[in-house]
């Protein structure tokens, strides 16, 4: 049995996730279409990372002591920009330039454009290999920073991901964590019909990774998984003081469009079109849903 | 909507797949998908494969008409081309689609050794060739021709429009070895049916004559060259356009014949000026001992910006007004 995550900590992350979703909707509305569904689905993961897990300096994104968060899945940049705004790395006002000419926030995340963006990840399946090298390099230099790589389930199709998975285990990269957004969707449709990747947990385990699989829209479960990995790194598991040990992966089952009923229920699309009049509905549903969930939790607390 | 400092609307990247068609231009939907589906009615060896980009490369049209001959390989480009090689070895004629960048960069080794060396009839269909997306370097195949030109046995086709694509597809299938098509997808402009033209694999065609300038172009730049030629007429400049849709093997004879006089020679390509049409023309000239100046219009040797496609075409000199400017400047 794992320890329950304290309510205050969980609520802080949920509040951050709510703001990330608000930012993502605002950015999506600028373009009128795009990767809003992915950003909403991954908001809880990104909130857990930026509001709870990562060590960084918002005013100095290049600080050498920072944990590295690598966005392999370039098109999820809309979600990461929202998290950057929440983290204070990018001003909230700047988000409205997303995907526009001359912006520091291009559609696909690129390290050459945006402070805090560690890699350029639009060609899918690169992130984990770079993460392996970064973890090896940091360890060789005696830097204890963690390396996190965010992948999409589509990236599990690429052979390069599995080459890197084996490499990470072989080199015992105990400070490396992969976070996989399993939204069961790819460009041509549902993942199950494009290339069956299940059983995913067994595949990572067979490559020598410590595996956690959680509901990626359940903040409590996400934080508990991160805690379990941290506990291993502190000596309860395989990692030693030098950072040698099995790398860890958190497989996050998420829901495209999470938090906005209209989008959750719509036919899933990789590149979602949202009509002009629907944006107000989206914003409204997000706010009502968040207020409702908060009230429900408050009710739970007082009920006997 | 965001605005610039002057209050003008800021152009958006919008979709990864942006249109390069001009407003109001005549277009045809998914010419590749329709041509392949048609061809498959007559040739049962035809199969279609993709790497999670069926909808984005017009292969969905083929998939709907021939579901049993459509193979979704997942987002795994090495598997896509390795498997296409295997299918060709088993007697089928595969058309395998992905974006140009992923064919040229990620899967090169598989195309080179499994397809080109044994000269298998595999047809590589690359979407978003050159600068046809504002998405940034991960999707802008600015050097795909340069990469593929070095591969022995590979035929390279850079079509101008829907007419070229529809006519090229059966010829690609009929060619015994491997081919690479720089795919234009979605609503593709129809331009060449206004000229006395038909696509012939391996042949360059003179689309219009002109006394002062000869524009040698391929791909969507032929459309731009034709527009530029019209606009130049208003400046009393008479420009010829020579369309070279097959980049390899290259129709040196036609092109060198056109370059024989003293007209200003310009190459136009939707590709870096390194390793594409310009260098193909230049090396053909040098090999024949002909020294003459050729003005290269193409993408600069650098990683391009992300942004809206019209902005970028203008910035990098591919828009027809920039072509006109350049030609007039060269004429002095
Ligand atoms: C190497 C590579 N191949 C193909 C693509 C084109 N592409 C962009 S997103 C995508 C779908 C990948 O699946 P996933 O990231 O899970 O999609 P989502 O959940 O966002 O719909 C594809 C095939 C790419 N960006 N990189
Ligand atoms: Mg997915």
């Amino acid at each position: 049995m794992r320890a329950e995550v304290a309510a205050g900590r969980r609520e802080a992350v949920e509040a951050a996730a709510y703001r990330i979703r608000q930012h993502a909707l605002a950015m999506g509305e600028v373009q009128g279409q795009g990767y809003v569904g992915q950003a909403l689905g991954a908001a809880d993961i990104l909130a857990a990372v930026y509001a709870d897990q990562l060590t960084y300096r918002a005013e100095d994104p290049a600080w050498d002591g920072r944990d590295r968060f690598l966005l392999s899945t370039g098109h999820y940049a809309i979600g990461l920009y929202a998290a950057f705004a929440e983290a204070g790395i990018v001003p909230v006002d700047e988000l409205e330039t997303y995907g526009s000419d001359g912006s520091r926030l291009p559609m696909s995340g690129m390290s050459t454009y945006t402070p805090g963006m560690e890699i350029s990840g639009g060609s899918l399946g690169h992130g984990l290999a770079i993460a392996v090298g970064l973890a090896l390099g940091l360890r060789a230099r005696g830097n204890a920073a963690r390396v996190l790589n965010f992948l999409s389930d589509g990236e599990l199709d690429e052979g390069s991901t599995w080459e890197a998975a084996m490499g990470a285990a072989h080199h015992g990269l105990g400070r490396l964590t992969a976070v996989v957004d399993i939204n069961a969707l790819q460009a041509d449709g549902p993942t199950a019909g494009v290339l069956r990747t299940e059983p995913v947990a067994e595949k990572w385990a067979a490559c020598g990774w410590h595996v956690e699989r959680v509901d990626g829209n359940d903040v409590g479960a996400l934080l508990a998984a991160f805690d379990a990995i941290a506990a291993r790194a502190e000596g309860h598991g395989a990692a030693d003081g030098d950072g040698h040990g099995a790398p860890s992966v958190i497989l996050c089952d998420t829901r495209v469009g999470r938090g906005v009923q209209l989008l959750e229920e719509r036919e899933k699309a990789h590149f979602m079109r949202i009509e002009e009049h629907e944006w107000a509905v989206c914003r409204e549903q997000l706010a009502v849903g968040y207020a409702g969930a908060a009230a429900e939790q408050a009710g739970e607390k007082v009920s006997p | 909507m965001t605005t610039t400092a002057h209050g003008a609307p800021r152009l958006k990247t919008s979709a990864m797949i942006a249109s390069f068609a001009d407003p109001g231009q005549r277009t045809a939907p998914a010419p590749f998908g329709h041509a392949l589906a048609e061809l498959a009615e007559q040739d049962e060896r035809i199969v279609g494969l993709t790497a999670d980009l069926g909808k984005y490369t017009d292969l969905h049209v083929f998939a709907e008409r021939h579901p049993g001959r459509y193979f979704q390989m997942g987002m795994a480009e090495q598997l896509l081309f390795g498997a296409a090689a295997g299918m060709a070895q088993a007697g089928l004629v595969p058309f395998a689609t992905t974006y140009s960048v992923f064919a040229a960069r990620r899967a090169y080794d598989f195309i080179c050794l499994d397809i080109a060396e044994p000269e298998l009839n595999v047809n590589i269909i690359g979407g978003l060739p050159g600068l046809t997306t504002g998405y940034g370097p991960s999707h802008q195949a600015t050097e795909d021709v340069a990469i593929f030109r070095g591969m022995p046995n590979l035929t390279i086709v850079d079509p101008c429009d829907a007419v070229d694509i529809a006519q090229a597809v059966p010829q690609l299938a009929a060619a015994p070895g491997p081919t690479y098509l720089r795919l234009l997808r979605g609503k593709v402009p129809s331009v060449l049916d206004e000229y006395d033209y038909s696509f012939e694999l391996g042949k360059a065609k003179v689309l219009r004559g002109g006394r002062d300038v000869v524009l040698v172009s391929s791909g969507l730049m032929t459309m731009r060259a034709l527009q530029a030629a019209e606009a130049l007429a208003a400046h009393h400049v008479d420009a010829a356009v020579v369309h070279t849709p097959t980049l390899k093997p290259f129709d040196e004879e036609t092109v060198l014949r056109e370059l024989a006089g003293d007209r200003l020679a310009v190459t136009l390509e939707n590709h870096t000026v390194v390793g594409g049409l310009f260098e193909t023309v230049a090396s053909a000239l040098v090999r024949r001992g002909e020294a003459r100046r050729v003005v290269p219009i193409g993408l600069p040797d650098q990683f391009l910006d992300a942004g809206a496609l019209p902005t970028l075409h203008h910035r990098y000199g591919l828009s027809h007004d920039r072509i006109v400017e350049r030609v007039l400047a060269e004429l002095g």
Side-chain angles (χ1 to χ4, degrees):
Chain A
M1 236 355 247
R2 60 179 43 157
E4 184 91 11
V5 171
R9 182 179 165 214
R10 194 195 65 227
E11 282 159 16
V13 171
E14 284 168 349
Y18 172 59
R19 289 187 294 271
I20 287 173
R21 288 190 167 96
Q22 286 179 312
H23 294 324
L25 279 182
M27 280 184 274
E29 193 169 354
V30 170
Q31 293 289 339
Q33 55 187 349
Y35 307 110
V36 177
Q38 287 90 332
L40 294 171
D44 299 303
I45 300 170
L46 294 167
V49 168
Y50 277 87
D52 188 87
Q53 285 294 309
L54 224 57
T55 299
Y56 62 93
R57 291 179 180 165
E59 69 293 351
D60 183 13
W63 172 51
D64 198 38
R66 73 189 185 282
D67 290 336
R68 270 67 167 179
F69 181 81
L70 276 56
L71 182 73
S72 196
T73 318
H75 61 279
Y76 276 59
I78 177 173
L80 189 53
Y81 299 148
F84 283 170
E86 172 64 21
I89 297 168
V90 164
V92 173
D93 287 352
E94 194 173 338
L95 296 180
E96 66 162 31
T97 69
Y98 167 65
S100 299
D101 280 348
S103 174
R104 293 197 302 172
L105 311 176
M107 274 241 156
S108 187
M110 285 186 271
S111 58
T112 39
Y113 280 65
T114 317
M117 190 68 74
E118 300 280 356
I119 62 167
S120 300
S123 177
L124 301 179
H126 285 230
L128 197 59
I130 302 172
V132 165
L134 203 43
L136 277 169
L138 290 169
R139 189 171 70 188
R141 283 180 44 225
N143 183 329
R146 296 163 64 194
V147 177
L148 275 68
N149 177 216
F150 181 102
L151 301 85
S152 64
D153 51 351
E155 293 193 87
L156 303 181
D157 292 5
E158 292 287 351
S160 57
T161 296
W162 298 105
E163 295 177 25
M166 287 187 283
H170 175 82
H171 291 284
L173 300 177
R175 293 192 190 116
L176 172 63
T177 301
V179 181
V180 186
D181 178 27
I182 304 181
N183 65 357
L185 181 68
Q186 302 193 204
D188 273 340
T191 296
V194 174
L195 184 62
R196 192 176 56 248
T197 42
E198 297 289 355
V200 176
E202 286 82 346
K203 287 193 175 75
W204 287 92
C207 287
W209 287 58
H210 168 76
V211 183
E212 301 275 340
R213 187 161 192 164
V214 298
D215 175 346
N217 294 124
D218 177 341
V219 168
L222 278 166
L223 295 179
F226 275 113
D227 288 350
I229 289 166
R232 287 172 54 82
E234 276 157 25
H236 305 289
D240 65 19
D242 294 334
H244 286 271
S248 302
V249 58
I250 307 180
L251 304 171
C252 308
D253 292 294
T254 64
R255 190 160 181 168
V256 174
R258 172 73 184 196
V260 175
Q261 201 187 351
L262 179 79
L263 303 182
E264 280 189 34
E265 288 169 1
R266 155 169 307 189
E267 194 198 341
K268 302 284 174 273
H270 170 73
F271 200 82
M272 208 179 256
R273 216 196 126 85
I274 298 172
E275 302 304 326
E276 222 167 301
H277 67 273
E278 292 177 327
W279 290 99
V281 180
C282 291
R283 281 196 302 270
E284 172 74 13
Q285 289 185 348
L286 178 63
V288 168
Y290 179 67
E296 202 173 289
Q297 281 171 9
E300 264 169 31
K301 267 187 230 157
V302 292
S303 66
Chain B
M1 163 168 298
T2 49
T3 49
T4 60
H6 325 287
R10 203 194 288 268
L11 282 180
K12 299 176 220 165
T13 318
S14 281
M16 171 182 310
I17 299 190
S19 178
F20 56 86
D22 295 320
Q25 191 171 30
R26 218 154 36 81
T27 60
F32 164 69
H34 287 288
L36 192 65
E38 213 52 53
L39 180 64
E41 305 282 349
Q42 300 140 38
D43 186 341
E44 61 190 20
R45 299 168 306 154
I46 302 288
V47 289
L49 293 74
T50 190
D52 196 17
L53 287 173
K55 287 185 199 164
Y56 295 76
T57 55
D58 292 345
L59 195 64
H60 63 288
V61 174
F62 171 86
E64 277 154 27
R65 283 188 37 195
H66 305 281
R69 290 152 74 176
Y70 170 69
F71 298 88
Q72 172 60 266
M73 305 309 290
M75 188 178 66
E77 294 78 12
Q78 299 181 345
L79 170 63
L80 174 72
F81 291 108
M87 286 178 143
Q89 246 170 311
L92 298 174
V93 176
F95 280 70
T97 79
T98 178
Y99 288 154
S100 293
V101 280
F102 307 127
R105 296 177 185 160
R106 183 151 319 182
Y108 184 90
D109 194 31
F110 291 75
I111 294 172
C112 186
L113 296 170
D114 306 335
I115 294 171
E117 198 275 332
E119 278 191 85
L120 294 174
N121 187 349
V122 171
N123 303 285
I124 301 150
I125 310 298
L128 305 184
L131 176 56
T132 47
T133 173
Y135 205 69
S138 66
H139 286 63
Q140 291 161 340
T142 52
E143 83 294 23
D144 59 327
V145 173
I147 291 172
F148 278 132
R149 261 183 75 219
M151 187 183 289
N153 296 341
L154 184 68
T155 294
I156 303 175
V157 174
D158 189 19
C160 164
D161 71 346
V163 175
D164 254 351
I165 291 172
Q167 296 182 8
V169 166
Q171 296 182 41
L172 297 177
T179 66
Y180 169 56
L181 178 74
R182 298 184 95 205
L183 176 73
L184 307 172
R185 50 77 60 198
K187 289 190 182 118
V188 179
S190 291
V191 175
L192 295 177
D193 49 358
E194 289 163 28
Y195 297 82
D196 178 22
Y197 173 82
S198 64
F199 175 87
E200 273 182 84
L201 193 61
K203 290 274 180 284
K205 299 274 171 92
V206 180
L207 296 177
R208 57 177 277 166
R211 287 181 310 275
D212 307 315
V213 182
V214 54
L215 304 172
V216 179
S217 59
S218 68
L220 70 89
M221 290 307 285
T222 292
M223 180 179 108
R224 296 277 156 83
L226 290 166
Q227 291 166 329
E230 296 277 322
L232 284 165
H235 296 271
H236 310 292
V237 172
D238 196 15
V241 175
V242 182
H243 178 42
T244 65
T246 309
L247 292 174
K248 194 184 175 190
F250 193 65
D251 183 358
E252 293 190 1
E253 204 169 321
T254 302
V255 173
L256 292 190
R257 195 193 320 125
E258 290 299 314
L259 294 182
D262 55 3
R263 294 179 295 181
L264 174 69
V266 182
T267 56
L268 303 97
E269 58 193 308
N270 170 32
H271 185 269
T272 159
V273 291
V274 176
L277 177 64
F278 167 66
E279 290 190 358
T280 300
V281 169
S283 65
L285 283 166
V286 171
R287 241 193 325 272
R288 302 265 180 113
E290 287 172 37
R292 66 155 305 158
R293 188 153 176 275
V294 178
V295 175
I297 290 182
L299 299 167
D301 178 22
Q302 67 190 54
F303 290 105
L304 306 185
D305 295 339
L309 198 57
T311 308
L312 300 180
H313 273 203
H314 185 79
R315 182 171 304 159
Y316 297 116
L318 301 193
S319 61
H320 70 86
D321 50 332
R322 290 289 310 277
I323 297 167
V324 170
E325 250 174 58
R326 180 79 185 271
V327 170
L328 291 176
E330 290 291 339
L331 289 170

